[in-house]
Amino acid sequence: MVSRVIPVEPFDLVIFGGTGDLSRRKILPGLFKRFLAGQMPPEARVIGAARSEMPREEFQDLAAEAIREFAEEAIGDGDGDGLAAFLDRIHYISIDARGEKGWNELQDMMSDKSRIEAYYFSVAPSLFGDLAEKLQSYGMADDESRIVVEKPFGRDLESARELNATLARYFDERQIYRIDHYLGKETVQNLMAVRFGNMLFEPLWNSQYVDHIQITVAETVGVGGRGEYYDKSGAMRDMVQNHLMQLLCLIAMEPPARFSPDAVRDEKLKVIRALDPVPPHHIARGQYGEGQNGDDHPDYRTAVGDPRSKTESFIAIRTMVSNWRWAGTPFYLRTGKRMGARSSEITVVFKDTPHSIFGEDAGSHRNVLSIRLQPNEGITLGVTIKEPGPGGMRLVDVPLDMTFADALGPDGGEQVEAYERLIMDVIRGNQTLFMRGDEVEAAWAWTDPIIEGWIKRGDVPKPYESGSTGPTDSDQLLKREGREWRKIAP
Ligand code: NAP
């Protein structure tokens, strides 16, 4: 398999919050990998920016350390020439989003307007407005510059609208890249290729043939050091409103006329707007308990430091997409922390065959299309075949692996991580895999009444065992409709 690296134009990428956690874990290592792949033109520069005073060399050391920690495999066993060459592209400016410090210096660095300018807001969302305003007042918010903003994009509809309005004062929608890194995952794009590049699936992709759809994002970690932040947010705001809804959109949307930013995002928006309001009995919320059997993790309330916290670390939702394609097919979403295994998977469960010619003994066999995002990204289709050997017509379900590793070469094609792809899309000016402002607002419009209902009723999440699959209410959501969750497998 030949790796095809599409060259990009010379660019300057400024990372506000360059010294922070996200920059160290994802942005700098991602850029390094793209550099090694030959995608960064010789003139490209990466400029870290944060309040801390430090000479350029110190920031280069910070970047090198981050790359060694989070992209060690990319450095390889060589003499480190690649890393040294990458560090040569790295600059640093001490800047304050809320003051004048550093802005003249940045303005000077960005004076060559023939280069692509991208500004990554890897800082707290409360600084997004300040940064946008400063970029404009220092002449950096020109027609072609781009800004990248991270989640959380608001905490409800009102704050998301305010944030959109603030950014819109300085930048056009076509210049704003709202990241949801799930959209940058290889398998998520493969899902679109499988759906819209084959004749096989689309005719069956509706409530006549699909019994139900499950989307699971399970984490084994707890809230860790983010307790204070997480407790103000919870699984609904932190995961469902963005990542799970984006996955649901890609599964449920109509085929866009073309794979272009607005064609795709228009179709996703229609899905969100078609979501039914969710009644309380279609939701299960939970909080994890303390670790067991030598695992000394604290329980959720201890971890967040509030013995009366009503925030959920787990949520399962049954929802419906009310349109012609999906009326009658439930979508079950669940996500939680401290679960038994780390696994993100979308499962499309097809209906039973209308009549079994093999008799009742053959049992029920359903085709299941499983799109696995992590770990072990890949797509499998469960098909029913005859169990080999003598003994009559015994049926068995086997997975048809569509990960294409064999067809595409020993390494299954080049592995590109979500952040690498998304940052390069920003430089290329391709917004297809980024959320549009109206999508984000529509997602909050669906989420808000659910959260408001919990607050009004004083709902308290049910405890669940650490290392389990969540509270029993979650199983009941499916059981009472004769269904069950897929096993959460590592
Ligand atoms: P972080 O570790 O707290 O880093 C914050 C960065 O902002 C630091 O570099 C800090 O450096 C800089 N900063 C703070 N105040 C500033 C100011 N007034 N002017 C200029 N720079 C300032 O945060 P993070 O975890 O990297 O998160 C960054 C953003 O990404 C947040 O919006 C977060 O919600 C989002 N996000 C993070 C993750 C993740 O995995 N970390 C995942 C998804 C989304 P100084 O203190 O030196 O200024």
Side-chain angles (χ1 to χ4, degrees):
M1 174 76 189
V2 181
S3 145
R4 278 194 223 116
V5 174
I6 305 168
V8 295
E9 302 282 310
F11 66 87
D12 286 328
L13 173 68
V14 179
I15 312 172
F16 293 112
T19 57
D21 181 63
L22 182 70
S23 169
R24 291 188 329 101
R25 282 197 309 115
K26 297 291 179 188
I27 306 173
L28 290 167
L31 282 164
F32 172 60
K33 289 193 201 162
R34 289 294 87 207
F35 171 81
L36 288 185
Q39 206 167 23
M40 268 173 77
E43 309 86 343
R45 292 181 302 181
V46 176
I47 301 156
R51 285 170 307 176
S52 306
E53 296 278 0
M54 62 175 86
R56 179 182 177 196
E57 295 71 33
E58 195 176 326
F59 185 65
Q60 287 170 320
D61 288 347
L62 178 150
E65 222 170 274
I67 289 164
R68 282 193 201 100
E69 189 174 349
F70 299 109
E72 195 193 358
E73 73 297 339
I75 300 175
D77 304 328
D79 50 13
D81 278 1
L83 180 56
F86 176 68
L87 295 178
D88 247 11
R89 311 293 189 84
I90 293 200
H91 302 258
Y92 182 76
I93 291 184
S94 168
I95 209 162
D96 186 352
R98 292 204 161 131
E100 303 307 316
K101 185 174 97 171
W103 287 97
N104 281 324
E105 200 186 332
L106 183 62
Q107 189 182 30
D108 287 348
M109 274 192 98
M110 304 299 280
S111 59
D112 179 355
K113 295 295 172 195
S114 67
R115 305 156 69 90
I116 292 168
E117 291 172 37
Y119 300 93
Y120 202 126
F121 292 8
S122 182
V123 294
S126 55
L127 294 175
F128 289 178
D130 298 285
L131 287 175
E133 191 266 318
K134 280 284 186 311
L135 285 172
Q136 194 202 42
S137 58
Y138 282 85
M140 287 175 267
D142 46 54
D143 262 10
E144 292 309 315
S145 49
R146 288 136 213 201
I147 59 168
V148 186
V149 292
E150 270 289 344
K151 79 164 200 187
F153 199 85
R155 56 173 285 107
D156 52 22
L157 177 58
E158 195 187 337
S159 53
R161 273 191 183 142
E162 267 171 35
L163 199 46
N164 274 334
T166 304
L167 297 180
R169 277 204 284 281
Y170 310 104
F171 294 93
D172 283 348
E173 183 61 36
R174 65 177 172 81
Q175 297 176 281
I176 303 171
Y177 290 73
R178 294 177 195 78
I179 281 212
D180 186 319
H181 71 275
Y182 272 58
L183 293 182
K185 287 180 181 288
E186 183 73 22
T187 316
V188 170
Q189 285 159 81
N190 217 342
L191 160 65
M192 288 190 272
V194 165
R195 263 196 78 182
F196 303 128
N198 294 284
M199 196 55 212
L200 195 60
F201 295 104
E202 209 43 33
L204 307 179
W205 210 260
N206 56 53
S207 59
Q208 202 182 337
Y209 297 101
V210 176
D211 179 73
H212 72 278
I213 290 171
Q214 301 184 14
I215 303 177
T216 294
V217 177
E219 299 177 284
T220 50
V221 292
V223 294
R226 294 169 69 224
E228 203 184 320
Y229 159 78
Y230 189 90
D231 201 43
K232 292 194 193 95
S233 159
M236 186 70 164
R237 287 192 172 99
D238 194 47
M239 298 297 290
V240 176
Q241 187 273 344
N242 37 62
H243 305 316
L244 276 83
M245 286 195 65
Q246 287 295 319
L247 297 179
L248 188 154
C249 285
L250 296 178
I251 282 280
M253 72 182 183
E254 294 300 313
R258 60 193 69 82
F259 192 56
S260 69
D262 279 334
V264 170
R265 298 186 301 177
D266 285 346
E267 295 307 334
K268 280 162 56 195
L269 179 63
K270 286 183 205 161
V271 174
I272 304 176
R273 290 189 172 153
L275 283 174
D276 276 353
V278 185
H281 65 283
H282 283 163
I283 297 178
R285 293 166 79 217
Q287 280 178 342
Y288 60 80
E290 63 187 358
Q292 315 238 323
N293 307 326
D295 167 357
D296 60 359
H297 275 87
D299 65 274
Y300 177 79
R301 289 178 170 191
T302 307
V304 301
D306 177 358
R308 285 198 298 269
S309 168
K310 290 180 183 168
T311 306
E312 74 288 350
S313 62
F314 173 96
I315 187 165
I317 299 177
R318 174 200 189 275
T319 187
M320 301 292 279
V321 179
S322 278
N323 60 20
W324 273 48
R325 184 187 284 264
W326 292 117
T329 296
F331 288 71
Y332 301 99
L333 319 178
R334 74 176 156 168
T335 180
K337 293 193 172 295
R338 299 287 289 142
M339 315 264 305
R342 174 174 171 261
S343 162
S344 299
E345 195 171 55
I346 304 169
T347 314
V348 181
V349 181
F350 289 90
K351 290 189 172 170
D352 285 330
T353 49
H355 164 71
S356 170
I357 64 167
F358 306 109
E360 275 179 18
D361 289 350
S364 159
H365 295 271
R366 290 178 162 188
N367 297 117
V368 173
L369 181 69
S370 142
I371 300 124
R372 206 170 157 79
L373 310 180
Q374 63 189 20
N376 314 320
E377 290 195 40
I379 301 182
T380 54
L381 175 65
V383 290
T384 303
I385 60 164
K386 177 192 169 296
E387 199 176 316
M393 198 55 147
R394 284 169 292 120
L395 301 184
V396 61
D397 296 331
V398 293
L400 200 64
D401 195 340
M402 299 200 291
T403 320
F404 314 122
D406 291 341
L408 299 183
D411 58 357
E414 190 190 355
Q415 298 295 313
V416 178
E417 280 191 23
Y419 273 90
E420 295 176 56
R421 169 174 292 116
L422 293 175
I423 293 170
M424 285 302 136
D425 276 355
V426 174
I427 306 298
R428 279 188 285 259
N430 184 348
Q431 288 184 306
T432 310
L433 301 175
F434 296 82
M435 294 179 294
R436 211 168 50 192
D438 51 4
E439 266 185 85
V440 177
E441 289 183 15
W444 282 120
W446 179 78
T447 313
D448 275 2
I450 300 174
I451 298 175
E452 281 157 16
W454 299 336
I455 296 168
K456 211 156 84 194
R457 292 188 301 273
D459 286 0
V460 181
K462 301 268 175 69
Y464 63 92
E465 256 179 50
S466 263
S468 71
T469 55
T472 48
D473 287 10
S474 156
D475 298 327
Q476 287 307 323
L477 272 187
L478 278 77
K479 243 183 211 156
R480 62 180 178 233
E481 296 179 335
R483 303 183 173 104
E484 58 182 26
W485 286 111
R486 295 258 298 169
K487 198 170 171 318
I488 299 179

